[in-house]
Coordinates of all heavy atoms in Angstrom, one line a residue:
M1232 N 94.7 47.9 -43.1 CA 94.1 46.7 -42.6 C 92.9 47.0 -41.8 O 92.9 47.8 -40.9 CB 95.1 46.0 -41.7 CG 96.2 45.4 -42.5 SD 96.8 44.3 -41.4 CE 98.4 44.2 -41.8
A1233 N 92.0 46.2 -42.0 CA 90.7 46.4 -41.3 C 90.7 45.4 -40.2 O 91.0 44.2 -40.4 CB 89.5 46.2 -42.2
T1234 N 90.3 45.8 -39.1 CA 90.1 44.8 -38.0 C 88.6 44.6 -37.7 O 87.8 45.6 -37.8 CB 90.8 45.4 -36.7 OG1 90.2 46.6 -36.3 CG2 92.3 45.5 -36.9
A1235 N 88.3 43.4 -37.3 CA 86.9 43.1 -37.0 C 86.6 43.6 -35.6 O 87.4 43.4 -34.7 CB 86.7 41.6 -37.1
T1236 N 85.5 44.3 -35.5 CA 85.1 44.7 -34.2 C 84.0 43.8 -33.6 O 83.2 43.3 -34.4 CB 84.6 46.2 -34.2 OG1 83.5 46.2 -35.1 CG2 85.7 47.1 -34.7
T1237 N 84.1 43.5 -32.4 CA 83.1 42.7 -31.8 C 82.1 43.6 -31.0 O 82.6 44.5 -30.3 CB 83.7 41.6 -30.9 OG1 84.5 42.3 -29.9 CG2 84.5 40.7 -31.7
N1238 N 81.0 43.3 -31.0 CA 80.0 44.0 -30.3 C 79.9 43.4 -28.9 O 79.5 42.3 -28.7 CB 78.6 43.9 -31.0 CG 77.6 44.9 -30.4 OD1 77.9 45.5 -29.4 ND2 76.5 45.0 -31.0
T1239 N 80.2 44.2 -27.9 CA 80.2 43.7 -26.5 C 78.9 44.2 -25.7 O 78.9 44.0 -24.5 CB 81.4 44.2 -25.7 OG1 81.5 45.6 -25.8 CG2 82.7 43.6 -26.4
N1240 N 78.0 44.7 -26.4 CA 76.7 45.1 -25.8 C 76.0 43.9 -25.4 O 75.6 43.0 -26.2 CB 75.9 45.9 -26.8 CG 74.7 46.5 -26.2 OD1 74.4 46.3 -25.0 ND2 74.0 47.3 -27.0
P1241 N 75.7 43.7 -24.1 CA 75.1 42.5 -23.6 C 73.6 42.4 -24.1 O 73.1 41.3 -24.2 CB 75.1 42.6 -22.1 CG 75.5 44.0 -21.7 CD 76.1 44.6 -23.0
S1242 N 72.9 43.4 -24.4 CA 71.5 43.3 -24.8 C 71.4 42.8 -26.2 O 70.5 42.1 -26.5 CB 70.8 44.7 -24.7 OG 71.5 45.6 -25.6
T1243 N 72.4 43.0 -27.0 CA 72.3 42.5 -28.4 C 73.0 41.1 -28.5 O 72.8 40.4 -29.4 CB 73.0 43.5 -29.4 OG1 74.3 43.7 -29.0 CG2 72.2 44.8 -29.5
N1244 N 74.0 40.8 -27.6 CA 74.7 39.6 -27.6 C 73.9 38.5 -26.9 O 74.2 37.3 -27.2 CB 76.1 39.8 -27.0 CG 77.1 38.7 -27.4 OD1 76.8 38.0 -28.3 ND2 78.2 38.7 -26.7
S1245 N 73.0 38.8 -26.1 CA 72.2 37.8 -25.3 C 71.3 37.1 -26.2 O 70.7 37.6 -27.2 CB 71.5 38.5 -24.2 OG 70.7 37.6 -23.5
K1246 N 71.0 35.8 -25.9 CA 70.1 35.0 -26.7 C 68.7 35.2 -26.3 O 67.7 34.8 -27.0 CB 70.5 33.5 -26.7 CG 71.8 33.2 -27.3 CD 72.0 31.8 -27.5 CE 73.3 31.6 -28.2 NZ 73.5 30.3 -28.8
V1247 N 68.5 35.7 -25.1 CA 67.1 36.0 -24.5 C 66.8 37.4 -24.8 O 67.5 38.3 -24.4 CB 67.1 35.6 -23.0 CG1 65.7 35.9 -22.5 CG2 67.5 34.2 -22.8
D1248 N 65.7 37.6 -25.5 CA 65.2 38.9 -25.8 C 64.4 39.5 -24.6 O 63.5 38.8 -24.2 CB 64.4 38.9 -27.1 CG 64.0 40.3 -27.6 OD1 64.5 41.3 -27.0 OD2 63.2 40.4 -28.5
P1249 N 64.8 40.6 -24.1 CA 64.0 41.1 -23.0 C 62.6 41.4 -23.3 O 61.7 41.4 -22.4 CB 64.8 42.4 -22.6 CG 65.7 42.7 -23.7 CD 65.9 41.5 -24.5
K1250 N 62.2 41.5 -24.5 CA 60.8 41.8 -24.9 C 60.1 40.5 -25.1 O 58.9 40.5 -25.3 CB 60.8 42.6 -26.2 CG 61.3 44.0 -26.0 CD 61.2 44.8 -27.3 CE 61.7 46.2 -27.1 NZ 61.6 47.0 -28.3
A1251 N 60.8 39.4 -25.1 CA 60.1 38.1 -25.3 C 59.0 37.7 -24.4 O 58.0 37.3 -24.8 CB 61.2 37.0 -25.3
P1252 N 59.1 38.0 -23.1 CA 58.0 37.6 -22.2 C 56.8 38.4 -22.5 O 55.7 37.9 -22.4 CB 58.5 38.0 -20.8 CG 60.0 37.9 -20.9 CD 60.3 38.3 -22.3
N1253 N 56.9 39.6 -23.0 CA 55.8 40.4 -23.4 C 55.1 39.9 -24.6 O 53.9 39.9 -24.8 CB 56.2 41.9 -23.6 CG 56.6 42.6 -22.3 OD1 56.2 42.1 -21.2 ND2 57.3 43.6 -22.3
S1254 N 55.9 39.4 -25.5 CA 55.4 38.8 -26.8 C 54.8 37.4 -26.6 O 54.0 37.0 -27.3 CB 56.4 38.8 -27.9 OG 57.5 37.9 -27.5
E1255 N 55.3 36.7 -25.5 CA 54.7 35.4 -25.3 C 53.4 35.4 -24.5 O 52.7 34.5 -24.5 CB 55.8 34.5 -24.5 CG 57.0 34.1 -25.4 CD 58.0 33.3 -24.6 OE1 57.7 32.9 -23.5 OE2 59.1 33.1 -25.2
A1256 N 53.2 36.5 -23.8 CA 52.0 36.6 -22.9 C 50.7 36.4 -23.7 O 49.8 35.7 -23.3 CB 52.0 37.9 -22.1
P1257 N 50.6 37.1 -24.9 CA 49.4 36.8 -25.7 C 49.3 35.4 -26.2 O 48.2 34.8 -26.2 CB 49.5 37.8 -26.9 CG 50.5 38.9 -26.4 CD 51.4 38.2 -25.5
L1258 N 50.4 34.7 -26.5 CA 50.4 33.3 -26.8 C 49.9 32.5 -25.7 O 49.1 31.6 -25.8 CB 51.7 32.9 -27.3 CG 51.8 31.4 -27.8 CD1 50.9 31.2 -29.0 CD2 53.3 31.1 -28.1
T1259 N 50.4 32.7 -24.5 CA 50.0 32.0 -23.3 C 48.5 32.2 -23.0 O 47.8 31.3 -22.7 CB 50.8 32.5 -22.1 OG1 52.2 32.3 -22.4 CG2 50.4 31.7 -20.9
D1260 N 48.1 33.5 -23.2 CA 46.6 33.8 -23.0 C 45.8 33.0 -24.0 O 44.7 32.5 -23.7 CB 46.4 35.3 -23.1 CG 47.0 36.1 -21.9 OD1 47.2 35.4 -20.9 OD2 47.2 37.3 -22.1
K1261 N 46.2 33.0 -25.2 CA 45.5 32.3 -26.3 C 45.4 30.8 -26.0 O 44.4 30.1 -26.1 CB 46.1 32.5 -27.7 CG 45.9 33.9 -28.2 CD 46.5 34.0 -29.6 CE 46.4 35.4 -30.1 NZ 47.1 35.5 -31.4
A1262 N 46.6 30.2 -25.5 CA 46.6 28.8 -25.2 C 45.7 28.5 -24.0 O 45.0 27.5 -24.0 CB 48.0 28.3 -24.9
T1263 N 45.7 29.4 -23.0 CA 44.9 29.2 -21.8 C 43.4 29.3 -22.2 O 42.6 28.5 -21.8 CB 45.2 30.3 -20.8 OG1 46.6 30.2 -20.4 CG2 44.4 30.1 -19.5
S1264 N 43.1 30.2 -23.0 CA 41.7 30.4 -23.5 C 41.2 29.2 -24.3 O 40.1 28.7 -24.1 CB 41.6 31.7 -24.3 OG 40.3 31.8 -24.8
A1265 N 42.1 28.7 -25.2 CA 41.8 27.5 -26.0 C 41.6 26.3 -25.1 O 40.6 25.5 -25.3 CB 42.8 27.3 -27.0
A1266 N 42.4 26.2 -24.1 CA 42.3 25.1 -23.1 C 41.0 25.1 -22.3 O 40.3 24.1 -22.2 CB 43.5 25.0 -22.2
H1267 N 40.7 26.3 -21.9 CA 39.4 26.5 -21.2 C 38.2 26.2 -22.1 O 37.2 25.6 -21.6 CB 39.3 28.0 -20.6 CG 40.1 28.2 -19.4 ND1 39.9 27.6 -18.2 CD2 41.2 29.1 -19.2 CE1 40.8 28.0 -17.3 NE2 41.6 28.9 -17.9
N1268 N 38.2 26.7 -23.3 CA 37.2 26.4 -24.2 C 37.0 24.9 -24.5 O 35.9 24.4 -24.5 CB 37.4 27.1 -25.5 CG 37.2 28.6 -25.4 OD1 36.6 29.1 -24.5 ND2 37.7 29.4 -26.3
A1269 N 38.1 24.2 -24.6 CA 38.1 22.7 -24.8 C 37.5 22.0 -23.6 O 36.7 21.1 -23.8 CB 39.5 22.2 -25.1
V1270 N 37.9 22.4 -22.4 CA 37.4 21.8 -21.2 C 35.9 22.1 -21.1 O 35.1 21.2 -20.7 CB 38.2 22.3 -20.0 CG1 37.5 21.9 -18.7 CG2 39.6 21.8 -20.0
D1271 N 35.5 23.3 -21.4 CA 34.1 23.6 -21.3 C 33.3 22.8 -22.3 O 32.2 22.3 -22.0 CB 33.8 25.1 -21.6 CG 34.3 26.0 -20.5 OD1 34.6 25.5 -19.4 OD2 34.5 27.2 -20.7
A1272 N 33.8 22.6 -23.5 CA 33.1 21.8 -24.5 C 33.0 20.4 -24.1 O 32.0 19.7 -24.2 CB 33.8 22.0 -25.9
L1273 N 34.1 19.9 -23.6 CA 34.2 18.5 -23.1 C 33.2 18.3 -21.9 O 32.5 17.3 -21.9 CB 35.6 18.1 -22.7 CG 35.8 16.7 -22.2 CD1 35.5 15.7 -23.3 CD2 37.2 16.5 -21.7
S1274 N 33.1 19.3 -21.1 CA 32.2 19.2 -19.9 C 30.8 19.2 -20.4 O 30.0 18.4 -19.9 CB 32.4 20.4 -19.0 OG 31.5 20.4 -18.0
T1275 N 30.4 20.0 -21.4 CA 29.1 20.0 -21.9 C 28.8 18.6 -22.6 O 27.7 18.1 -22.3 CB 29.0 21.1 -23.0 OG1 29.3 22.3 -22.4 CG2 27.6 21.1 -23.5
R1276 N 29.7 18.1 -23.3 CA 29.4 16.8 -24.0 C 29.3 15.7 -22.9 O 28.5 14.8 -23.1 CB 30.5 16.5 -25.0 CG 30.5 17.3 -26.2 CD 31.5 16.9 -27.2 NE 31.4 17.8 -28.4 CZ 32.3 17.9 -29.3 NH1 33.4 17.1 -29.2 NH2 32.2 18.6 -30.3
A1277 N 30.2 15.7 -21.9 CA 30.1 14.7 -20.8 C 28.8 14.8 -20.1 O 28.2 13.8 -19.8 CB 31.3 14.9 -19.9
A1278 N 28.3 16.0 -19.9 CA 27.0 16.1 -19.2 C 25.9 15.6 -20.0 O 25.0 14.9 -19.5 CB 26.7 17.6 -18.9
T1279 N 25.9 15.8 -21.3 CA 24.9 15.3 -22.3 C 25.0 13.8 -22.3 O 23.9 13.1 -22.2 CB 25.1 15.9 -23.7 OG1 25.1 17.3 -23.6 CG2 24.1 15.4 -24.6
A1280 N 26.2 13.2 -22.3 CA 26.3 11.8 -22.4 C 25.8 11.2 -21.1 O 25.2 10.1 -21.1 CB 27.8 11.4 -22.6
E1281 N 26.1 11.8 -19.9 CA 25.7 11.3 -18.6 C 24.2 11.3 -18.6 O 23.6 10.3 -18.1 CB 26.2 12.2 -17.5 CG 25.8 11.7 -16.1 CD 26.2 12.7 -15.0 OE1 26.7 13.8 -15.3 OE2 26.0 12.3 -13.9
Q1282 N 23.5 12.4 -19.0 CA 22.1 12.4 -19.0 C 21.5 11.3 -19.9 O 20.5 10.7 -19.5 CB 21.6 13.8 -19.5 CG 20.1 14.0 -19.5 CD 19.5 13.9 -18.1 OE1 20.2 14.2 -17.1 NE2 18.3 13.5 -18.0
S1283 N 22.1 11.1 -21.1 CA 21.6 10.1 -22.0 C 21.7 8.7 -21.3 O 20.8 7.9 -21.4 CB 22.4 10.1 -23.3 OG 22.0 9.1 -24.1
I1284 N 22.9 8.5 -20.7 CA 23.1 7.2 -20.0 C 22.1 7.0 -18.9 O 21.5 5.9 -18.7 CB 24.5 7.1 -19.5 CG1 25.5 6.9 -20.7 CG2 24.7 5.9 -18.5 CD1 26.9 7.0 -20.3
R1285 N 21.8 8.0 -18.1 CA 20.9 7.9 -17.0 C 19.5 7.6 -17.5 O 18.7 6.8 -17.0 CB 20.8 9.2 -16.2 CG 22.1 9.4 -15.3 CD 22.0 10.7 -14.5 NE 23.2 10.9 -13.8 CZ 23.5 10.4 -12.6 NH1 22.6 9.6 -12.0 NH2 24.6 10.7 -12.0
E1286 N 19.1 8.3 -18.6 CA 17.7 8.0 -19.2 C 17.7 6.6 -19.7 O 16.6 5.9 -19.6 CB 17.5 9.0 -20.3 CG 17.2 10.5 -19.8 CD 17.1 11.5 -21.0 OE1 17.3 11.1 -22.2 OE2 16.9 12.7 -20.7
G1287 N 18.7 6.1 -20.4 CA 18.7 4.8 -20.9 C 18.7 3.8 -19.8 O 17.9 2.8 -19.9
A1288 N 19.4 4.0 -18.7 CA 19.4 3.1 -17.5 C 18.0 3.1 -16.9 O 17.5 2.0 -16.5 CB 20.4 3.5 -16.5
S1289 N 17.4 4.2 -16.8 CA 16.0 4.3 -16.2 C 15.0 3.6 -17.1 O 14.2 2.8 -16.6 CB 15.6 5.8 -16.1 OG 14.3 5.9 -15.6
S1290 N 15.1 3.8 -18.4 CA 14.2 3.1 -19.3 C 14.5 1.6 -19.3 O 13.5 0.8 -19.3 CB 14.5 3.6 -20.7 OG 13.7 2.9 -21.7
S1291 N 15.7 1.2 -19.2 CA 16.0 -0.3 -19.1 C 15.5 -0.8 -17.8 O 14.9 -2.0 -17.8 CB 17.5 -0.5 -19.2 OG 18.0 -0.1 -20.4
A1292 N 15.6 -0.1 -16.7 CA 15.0 -0.6 -15.4 C 13.5 -0.8 -15.5 O 13.0 -1.7 -15.0 CB 15.4 0.4 -14.3
E1293 N 12.9 0.2 -16.1 CA 11.4 0.1 -16.3 C 11.0 -1.1 -17.1 O 10.1 -1.8 -16.8 CB 10.9 1.4 -16.9 CG 10.9 2.6 -15.9 CD 10.5 3.9 -16.6 OE1 10.1 3.9 -17.8 OE2 10.6 4.9 -16.0
T1294 N 11.7 -1.3 -18.2 CA 11.5 -2.4 -19.1 C 11.7 -3.7 -18.4 O 10.9 -4.6 -18.6 CB 12.3 -2.3 -20.4 OG1 12.1 -1.0 -21.1 CG2 12.1 -3.4 -21.4
L1295 N 12.8 -3.8 -17.7 CA 13.1 -5.0 -17.0 C 12.0 -5.3 -15.9 O 11.6 -6.5 -15.8 CB 14.5 -4.9 -16.3 CG 14.9 -6.1 -15.5 CD1 15.1 -7.3 -16.4 CD2 16.3 -5.8 -14.8
S1296 N 11.6 -4.3 -15.3 CA 10.5 -4.5 -14.3 C 9.2 -5.0 -14.9 O 8.6 -5.9 -14.4 CB 10.2 -3.1 -13.6 OG 9.2 -3.3 -12.6
E1297 N 8.9 -4.4 -16.1 CA 7.7 -4.9 -16.8 C 7.9 -6.3 -17.2 O 6.9 -7.1 -17.1 CB 7.4 -4.0 -18.0 CG 7.0 -2.6 -17.7 CD 7.0 -1.7 -18.9 OE1 7.2 -2.1 -20.0 OE2 6.7 -0.5 -18.7
K1298 N 9.0 -6.7 -17.7 CA 9.3 -8.1 -18.2 C 9.2 -9.0 -17.0 O 8.7 -10.2 -17.1 CB 10.6 -8.2 -18.9 CG 10.8 -7.4 -20.1 CD 10.0 -8.0 -21.2 CE 10.3 -7.2 -22.5 NZ 9.5 -7.7 -23.6
Q1299 N 9.7 -8.6 -15.8 CA 9.7 -9.5 -14.6 C 8.2 -9.7 -14.2 O 7.9 -10.8 -13.9 CB 10.5 -8.9 -13.5 CG 11.9 -9.0 -13.6 CD 12.7 -8.3 -12.5 OE1 12.1 -7.4 -11.8 NE2 13.9 -8.6 -12.3
Q1300 N 7.4 -8.7 -14.3 CA 6.0 -8.8 -13.9 C 5.3 -9.8 -14.9 O 4.5 -10.6 -14.4 CB 5.3 -7.4 -14.0 CG 3.9 -7.4 -13.5 CD 3.7 -7.9 -12.1 OE1 4.6 -7.7 -11.2 NE2 2.6 -8.5 -11.8
V1301 N 5.6 -9.7 -16.2 CA 5.0 -10.6 -17.2 C 5.4 -12.0 -16.9 O 4.6 -12.9 -16.9 CB 5.3 -10.1 -18.6 CG1 4.9 -11.2 -19.6 CG2 4.6 -8.8 -18.9
A1302 N 6.7 -12.2 -16.6 CA 7.2 -13.5 -16.3 C 6.6 -14.1 -15.1 O 6.3 -15.3 -15.1 CB 8.8 -13.5 -16.2
R1303 N 6.4 -13.3 -14.0 CA 5.7 -13.8 -12.8 C 4.3 -14.2 -13.1 O 3.8 -15.3 -12.6 CB 5.7 -12.7 -11.8 CG 7.0 -12.5 -11.1 CD 6.9 -11.6 -9.9 NE 8.2 -11.2 -9.4 CZ 8.8 -10.0 -9.4 NH1 8.1 -9.0 -9.9 NH2 10.0 -9.8 -9.0
E1304 N 3.6 -13.4 -13.9 CA 2.2 -13.8 -14.3 C 2.2 -15.1 -15.0 O 1.3 -15.9 -14.8 CB 1.6 -12.6 -15.1 CG 1.3 -11.4 -14.3 CD 0.9 -10.2 -15.1 OE1 0.7 -10.4 -16.3 OE2 0.7 -9.1 -14.5
K1305 N 3.1 -15.2 -16.0 CA 3.1 -16.5 -16.8 C 3.4 -17.7 -15.9 O 2.9 -18.8 -16.1 CB 4.0 -16.4 -18.0 CG 3.5 -15.4 -19.0 CD 4.1 -15.7 -20.4 CE 3.5 -14.7 -21.3 NZ 2.8 -15.2 -22.4
L1306 N 4.4 -17.5 -15.0 CA 4.8 -18.6 -14.1 C 3.6 -19.0 -13.2 O 3.4 -20.2 -13.1 CB 6.0 -18.1 -13.2 CG 6.5 -19.1 -12.2 CD1 7.1 -20.3 -13.0 CD2 7.5 -18.5 -11.3
N1307 N 2.9 -18.0 -12.7 CA 1.7 -18.3 -11.9 C 0.7 -19.0 -12.7 O 0.0 -20.0 -12.3 CB 1.1 -17.1 -11.2 CG 2.0 -16.5 -10.2 OD1 2.8 -17.2 -9.6 ND2 1.9 -15.2 -9.9
Q1308 N 0.5 -18.6 -14.0 CA -0.5 -19.2 -14.8 C -0.2 -20.6 -15.1 O -1.0 -21.5 -15.0 CB -0.6 -18.4 -16.1 CG -1.6 -19.0 -17.2 CD -1.5 -18.2 -18.5 OE1 -0.7 -17.2 -18.6 NE2 -2.3 -18.6 -19.4
Y1309 N 1.1 -20.9 -15.6 CA 1.5 -22.2 -15.9 C 1.6 -23.1 -14.7 O 1.4 -24.3 -14.8 CB 2.8 -22.2 -16.7 CG 2.6 -21.6 -18.1 CD1 3.4 -20.6 -18.6 CD2 1.6 -22.0 -18.9 CE1 3.2 -20.0 -19.8 CE2 1.4 -21.5 -20.2 CZ 2.2 -20.5 -20.6 OH 2.0 -19.9 -21.9
S1310 N 2.0 -22.5 -13.6 CA 2.1 -23.3 -12.3 C 0.7 -23.8 -12.0 O 0.5 -25.0 -11.6 CB 2.6 -22.4 -11.2 OG 2.6 -23.1 -10.0
G1311 N -0.3 -23.0 -12.1 CA -1.7 -23.4 -11.8 C -2.1 -24.5 -12.8 O -2.8 -25.5 -12.4
K1312 N -1.8 -24.4 -14.0 CA -2.2 -25.4 -15.0 C -1.5 -26.7 -14.7 O -2.1 -27.8 -14.9 CB -1.8 -24.9 -16.4 CG -2.7 -23.9 -17.0 CD -2.3 -23.5 -18.4 CE -3.3 -22.4 -19.0 NZ -2.9 -22.1 -20.4
T1313 N -0.2 -26.6 -14.3 CA 0.5 -27.8 -14.0 C -0.1 -28.5 -12.8 O -0.2 -29.8 -12.8 CB 2.0 -27.5 -13.7 OG1 2.5 -26.8 -14.9 CG2 2.8 -28.8 -13.5
R1314 N -0.4 -27.8 -11.8 CA -1.0 -28.4 -10.6 C -2.4 -29.0 -10.9 O -2.7 -30.1 -10.5 CB -1.3 -27.3 -9.5 CG 0.0 -26.9 -8.8 CD -0.3 -26.1 -7.6 NE 1.0 -25.6 -7.0 CZ 1.4 -24.4 -7.0 NH1 0.6 -23.4 -7.4 NH2 2.5 -24.1 -6.4
K1315 N -3.1 -28.4 -11.8 CA -4.4 -28.9 -12.2 C -4.2 -30.2 -13.0 O -4.9 -31.2 -12.7 CB -5.2 -27.9 -13.0 CG -6.5 -28.3 -13.5 CD -7.2 -27.3 -14.3 CE -8.6 -27.8 -14.8 NZ -9.2 -26.8 -15.7
F1316 N -3.2 -30.2 -13.9 CA -2.9 -31.4 -14.7 C -2.5 -32.6 -13.7 O -2.9 -33.7 -13.9 CB -1.9 -31.2 -15.7 CG -1.5 -32.4 -16.5 CD1 -2.3 -32.8 -17.5 CD2 -0.3 -33.1 -16.2 CE1 -1.9 -33.9 -18.3 CE2 0.0 -34.2 -16.9 CZ -0.7 -34.7 -17.9
A1317 N -1.6 -32.3 -12.8 CA -1.1 -33.3 -11.8 C -2.3 -33.8 -11.0 O -2.3 -35.1 -10.7 CB -0.1 -32.7 -10.9
A1318 N -3.2 -33.0 -10.6 CA -4.3 -33.5 -9.8 C -5.3 -34.3 -10.6 O -5.8 -35.3 -10.1 CB -5.1 -32.3 -9.2
E1319 N -5.5 -34.0 -11.9 CA -6.4 -34.8 -12.7 C -5.8 -36.0 -13.3 O -6.5 -37.0 -13.6 CB -6.9 -33.9 -13.9 CG -7.8 -32.7 -13.5 CD -8.1 -31.8 -14.6 OE1 -7.5 -32.0 -15.8 OE2 -8.9 -30.9 -14.4
N1320 N -4.4 -36.1 -13.4 CA -3.7 -37.2 -14.0 C -2.5 -37.7 -13.1 O -1.4 -37.5 -13.5 CB -3.2 -36.9 -15.4 CG -4.3 -36.4 -16.3 OD1 -5.3 -37.1 -16.5 ND2 -4.2 -35.2 -16.9
P1321 N -2.8 -38.3 -12.0 CA -1.7 -38.6 -11.1 C -0.8 -39.7 -11.7 O 0.5 -39.6 -11.5 CB -2.4 -39.1 -9.8 CG -3.8 -39.4 -10.2 CD -4.1 -38.6 -11.4
L1322 N -1.3 -40.6 -12.4 CA -0.4 -41.7 -13.0 C 0.5 -41.1 -14.1 O 1.7 -41.4 -14.1 CB -1.3 -42.8 -13.6 CG -0.6 -44.0 -14.1 CD1 0.2 -44.6 -12.9 CD2 -1.5 -45.0 -14.6
A1323 N 0.0 -40.2 -14.9 CA 0.8 -39.6 -16.0 C 1.9 -38.7 -15.3 O 3.0 -38.7 -15.8 CB 0.0 -38.8 -16.9
T1324 N 1.5 -38.0 -14.2 CA 2.5 -37.2 -13.5 C 3.6 -38.0 -12.9 O 4.8 -37.6 -13.0 CB 1.7 -36.4 -12.4 OG1 0.7 -35.6 -13.0 CG2 2.7 -35.5 -11.7
A1325 N 3.3 -39.2 -12.4 CA 4.3 -40.1 -11.8 C 5.2 -40.6 -12.9 O 6.4 -40.6 -12.7 CB 3.6 -41.2 -11.1
G1326 N 4.7 -40.9 -14.1 CA 5.5 -41.4 -15.2 C 6.4 -40.3 -15.7 O 7.6 -40.5 -16.0
I1327 N 5.9 -39.1 -15.8 CA 6.7 -38.0 -16.3 C 7.9 -37.7 -15.3 O 9.0 -37.5 -15.7 CB 5.9 -36.7 -16.5 CG1 5.0 -36.9 -17.7 CG2 6.8 -35.5 -16.7 CD1 3.9 -35.8 -17.9
A1328 N 7.5 -37.8 -14.0 CA 8.6 -37.5 -13.0 C 9.6 -38.6 -13.0 O 10.8 -38.3 -12.8 CB 7.9 -37.5 -11.6
F1329 N 9.2 -39.9 -13.2 CA 10.1 -41.0 -13.3 C 11.1 -40.8 -14.5 O 12.3 -41.0 -14.4 CB 9.4 -42.3 -13.4 CG 10.3 -43.5 -13.5 CD1 11.0 -44.0 -12.4 CD2 10.5 -44.1 -14.7 CE1 11.8 -45.1 -12.5 CE2 11.3 -45.2 -14.8 CZ 12.0 -45.7 -13.7
A1330 N 10.5 -40.5 -15.6 CA 11.3 -40.3 -16.8 C 12.3 -39.1 -16.7 O 13.5 -39.2 -17.1 CB 10.4 -40.1 -18.0
A1331 N 11.8 -38.1 -16.1 CA 12.7 -36.9 -15.9 C 13.9 -37.3 -14.9 O 15.0 -36.9 -15.1 CB 11.9 -35.7 -15.3
G1332 N 13.6 -38.0 -13.9 CA 14.6 -38.5 -12.9 C 15.6 -39.4 -13.6 O 16.8 -39.3 -13.3
M1333 N 15.2 -40.3 -14.5 CA 16.1 -41.2 -15.2 C 17.0 -40.4 -16.1 O 18.2 -40.6 -16.2 CB 15.3 -42.2 -16.0 CG 14.6 -43.2 -15.1 SD 15.7 -44.2 -14.2 CE 16.4 -45.2 -15.4
L1334 N 16.4 -39.4 -16.8 CA 17.2 -38.6 -17.7 C 18.3 -37.8 -16.9 O 19.4 -37.7 -17.4 CB 16.3 -37.6 -18.5 CG 16.9 -36.6 -19.4 CD1 17.6 -37.4 -20.5 CD2 15.9 -35.7 -20.0
V1335 N 17.9 -37.2 -15.8 CA 18.8 -36.4 -15.0 C 19.9 -37.3 -14.5 O 21.1 -36.9 -14.5 CB 18.1 -35.6 -13.9 CG1 19.1 -35.0 -12.9 CG2 17.2 -34.5 -14.5
S1336 N 19.6 -38.4 -14.0 CA 20.6 -39.3 -13.4 C 21.6 -39.8 -14.5 O 22.8 -40.0 -14.3 CB 20.0 -40.5 -12.7 OG 19.3 -41.3 -13.6
A1337 N 21.0 -40.1 -15.7 CA 21.9 -40.5 -16.9 C 22.9 -39.4 -17.2 O 24.1 -39.6 -17.5 CB 21.1 -40.9 -18.0
L1338 N 22.4 -38.2 -17.3 CA 23.3 -37.0 -17.6 C 24.3 -36.8 -16.5 O 25.5 -36.5 -16.9 CB 22.4 -35.8 -17.8 CG 21.5 -35.7 -19.0 CD1 20.7 -34.5 -19.0 CD2 22.4 -35.7 -20.3
V1339 N 24.0 -37.0 -15.3 CA 24.9 -36.8 -14.2 C 26.0 -37.9 -14.2 O 27.1 -37.6 -13.9 CB 24.2 -36.7 -12.8 CG1 25.1 -36.7 -11.7 CG2 23.3 -35.4 -12.8
R1340 N 25.6 -39.1 -14.4 CA 26.5 -40.2 -14.5 C 27.5 -40.1 -15.6 O 28.7 -40.5 -15.4 CB 25.7 -41.5 -14.7 CG 26.0 -42.6 -13.6 CD 25.3 -43.8 -13.8 NE 23.9 -43.6 -13.8 CZ 23.0 -44.4 -14.3 NH1 23.3 -45.4 -15.0 NH2 21.7 -44.1 -14.3
N1341 N 27.1 -39.6 -16.7 CA 28.1 -39.4 -17.9 C 29.1 -38.4 -17.7 O 30.2 -38.4 -18.3 CB 27.3 -39.1 -19.1 CG 26.5 -40.4 -19.7 OD1 26.9 -41.5 -19.3 ND2 25.5 -40.1 -20.4
K1342 N 28.9 -37.4 -16.8 CA 29.8 -36.4 -16.6 C 30.7 -36.7 -15.5 O 31.4 -37.0 -14.9 CB 29.1 -35.1 -16.2 CG 28.4 -34.5 -17.5 CD 27.8 -33.2 -17.2 CE 27.2 -32.6 -18.4 NZ 26.6 -31.3 -18.2

C-alpha cells in the first residue's frame, strides 16, 4: 500500500513566493516610468494649450479695443450729424421726438 506524503516545507507550501517582490520591482519601475512619461506629456500639452489660449485672449483684447475705438469714432461722427440736423430743422426734430415718445409709451402700456 502506498501512502500519500504531504510536503510540509513552508517555502513550497506558501502562496507568497519570496522572490516575488524582486520580480515585481521591474514592473513597478516600468509603471512609475510610464506614469512619469504620461504626466510629462500632459504637462507639455497643457503648457502649449495655455500659451495658445493666452495668445488668443490677447488677440481678442486687441481686436475688441480696436472695435471700441471705431465705435466711438462713429458715435462721435453721427452724434455731430444729429446735432447739426437738429439745429437746422428744429420743427422736424420736435416731430420725431414726439413720435418716438408716443411709440415708447404705447409699447410700455401694452406690457
